[in-house]
């Protein structure tokens, strides 16, 4: 029974882990810059995945014709999208970030139609609408008018590129291990980001990394939120259609808000529970259609 829903479980776990990363990154970003955190998380993730690959004796060979696809995944998703998400939020607000990036599933449906020929059924469209409404209720839309337009534009790029990357993963041949694909894509992103990160790191106080809460947070973000969650997301995309997979992205704001309430004392009202119910309804609707 569980095996029948493996893809859905992988995607739910990945999005939930990203939602939980909000609590940890809030502590770490108080003392180091976003680009430093991105580079450190990729360095730790790369080390973690490489060790796991060696232990499980993965085949690291990639056919030449598939290299451009893997490089594109690393640049579009892990480099551009992640950095645009940090930069856009910095120029606007976390609230706007949550609202605009919630458009990712809709973009995924469009790219899946264009690149994979997937059909956008009425139920899938309804599911995206329900879940998007749920996200808007959770994060609220009252203060969006005061946010920077530039930040909003950058966040839209982040949502667009993550959606494109997720659909490109569906084009990776199934005979490759997703652990290997994830490792190579993160390697590409690390190489791309390193020149920008070096400038920040050389001017920073590296002593802050010796603080237990900082290095502990970096290790968690690198191993669990990056190596683990990226692998789970890619593995889930191998099984579930791209259009449906996007819906599981909505678990991110639900888990993030819930953990913020539990550990950071942030307020959660009735709209959160209504929004969470709408998101769950959207996900269940698409699960029922594919059952």
């Amino acid at each position: 029974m569980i095996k029948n829903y493996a893809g859905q479980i992988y995607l739910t776990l990945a999005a939930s882990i990203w939602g939980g990363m909000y609590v940890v990154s809030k502590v770490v970003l108080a003392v180091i810059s976003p680009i430093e955190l991105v580079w450190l998380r990729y360095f730790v993730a790369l080390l973690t995945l490489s060790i796991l690959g060696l232990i499980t004796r993965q085949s690291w060979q990639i056919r030449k014709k598939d290299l451009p696809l893997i490089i594109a995944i690393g640049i579009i998703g892990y480099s551009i999208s992640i950095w645009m998400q940090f930069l856009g939020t910095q120029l606007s607000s976390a609230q706007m970030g949550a609202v605009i990036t919630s458009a990712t599933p809709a973009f995924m449906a469009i790219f899946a139609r264009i690149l994979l020929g997937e059909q956008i059924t009425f139920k899938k469209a309804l599911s995206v609408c329900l879940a998007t409404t749920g996200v808007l209720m959770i994060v609220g839309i009252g203060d969006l008018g005061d946010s920077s337009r530039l930040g909003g534009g950058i966040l839209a790029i982040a949502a667009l590129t993550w959606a494109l990357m997720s659909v490109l993963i569906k084009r990776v041949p199934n005979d490759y291990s997703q652990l290997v694909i994830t490792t190579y894509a993160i390697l590409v992103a690390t190489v791309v980001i390193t020149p920008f990160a070096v400038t920040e790191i050389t001017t920073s106080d590296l002593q802050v990394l010796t603080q237990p809460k900082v290095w502990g947070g970096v290790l968690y973000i690198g191993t669990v939120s990056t190596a683990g969650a990226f692998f789970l997301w890619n593995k889930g995309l191998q099984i579930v259609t791209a259009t449906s997979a996007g819906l599981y992205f909505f678990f991110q704001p639900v888990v993030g808000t819930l953990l913020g309430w539990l550990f950071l004392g942030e307020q959660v009202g009735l709209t959160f529970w209504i929004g969470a119910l709408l998101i769950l309804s959207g996900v269940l609707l698409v699960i029922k259609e594919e059952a």
Side-chain angles (χ1 to χ4, degrees):
M1 182 69 175
I2 293 178
K3 189 176 180 181
N4 295 336
Y5 295 98
Q8 289 88 340
I9 293 171
Y10 291 144
L11 294 168
T12 301
L13 285 173
S16 299
I17 290 170
W18 288 328
M21 186 177 67
Y22 163 75
V23 176
V24 181
S25 62
K26 200 172 179 70
V27 175
V28 179
L29 286 171
V31 291
I32 65 175
S33 70
I35 189 65
E36 287 178 283
L37 180 56
V38 173
W39 189 86
L40 287 169
R41 71 184 282 193
Y42 283 168
F43 177 79
V44 173
L46 196 56
L47 189 61
T48 303
L49 290 169
S50 298
I51 292 172
L52 286 174
L54 291 173
I55 291 173
T56 55
R57 297 183 179 180
Q58 299 289 333
S59 171
W60 297 95
Q61 191 171 10
I62 300 291
R63 293 183 288 272
K64 286 185 178 180
K65 66 175 183 177
D66 298 320
L67 282 175
L69 180 59
I70 295 170
I71 292 171
I73 290 169
I75 294 176
I76 294 171
Y78 298 164
S79 301
I80 297 175
S81 183
I82 296 297
W83 176 236
M84 290 296 102
Q85 186 176 350
F86 274 119
L87 182 60
T89 301
Q90 190 178 45
L91 292 174
S92 55
S93 67
Q95 184 186 45
M96 178 176 268
V99 171
I100 295 179
T101 54
S102 70
T104 299
F107 289 139
M108 284 180 65
I110 294 170
F111 282 128
R113 181 73 183 92
I114 296 171
L115 299 177
L116 305 175
E118 290 185 7
Q119 296 296 317
I120 304 176
T121 65
F122 173 76
K123 281 189 177 180
K124 287 180 179 178
L126 179 60
S127 297
V128 172
C129 290
L130 283 172
T132 302
T133 303
V135 170
L136 294 176
M137 292 193 70
I138 288 172
V139 301
I141 56 174
D143 300 325
L144 293 184
D146 299 328
S147 298
S148 164
R149 290 184 180 179
L150 176 60
I154 291 172
L155 286 166
I157 294 173
L160 196 67
T161 48
W162 186 264
L164 177 56
M165 180 275 296
S166 296
V167 172
L168 288 177
I169 288 172
K170 293 286 294 180
R171 303 193 69 170
V172 175
N174 287 333
D175 58 334
Y176 287 124
S177 162
Q178 279 303 324
L179 189 149
V180 171
I181 297 300
T182 306
T183 303
Y184 278 134
I186 290 179
L187 174 61
V188 170
T190 305
V191 171
V192 171
I193 290 172
T194 295
F196 303 97
V198 166
T199 306
E200 289 279 346
I201 292 172
T202 53
T203 58
S204 298
D205 180 11
L206 297 180
Q207 190 155 350
V208 297
L209 293 175
T210 63
Q211 298 176 20
K213 67 178 182 180
V214 176
W215 62 256
V218 170
L219 284 177
Y220 174 82
I221 292 171
T223 56
V224 179
S225 301
T226 305
F230 281 14
F231 168 75
L232 289 169
W233 184 257
N234 293 351
K235 189 72 176 174
L237 283 167
Q238 235 183 355
I239 303 170
V240 178
T241 62
T243 306
S244 302
L247 286 169
Y248 297 88
F249 191 82
F250 289 119
F251 281 110
Q252 183 175 338
V254 174
V255 174
T257 304
L258 189 59
L259 291 178
W261 171 56
L262 289 172
F263 297 105
L264 300 178
E266 297 178 351
Q267 296 300 309
V268 170
L270 178 62
T271 53
F272 167 80
W273 301 107
I274 296 175
L277 183 61
L278 286 172
I279 291 172
L280 185 60
S281 299
V283 172
L284 289 176
L285 189 62
V286 82
I287 288 177
K288 186 176 180 181
E289 183 184 47
E290 295 191 341

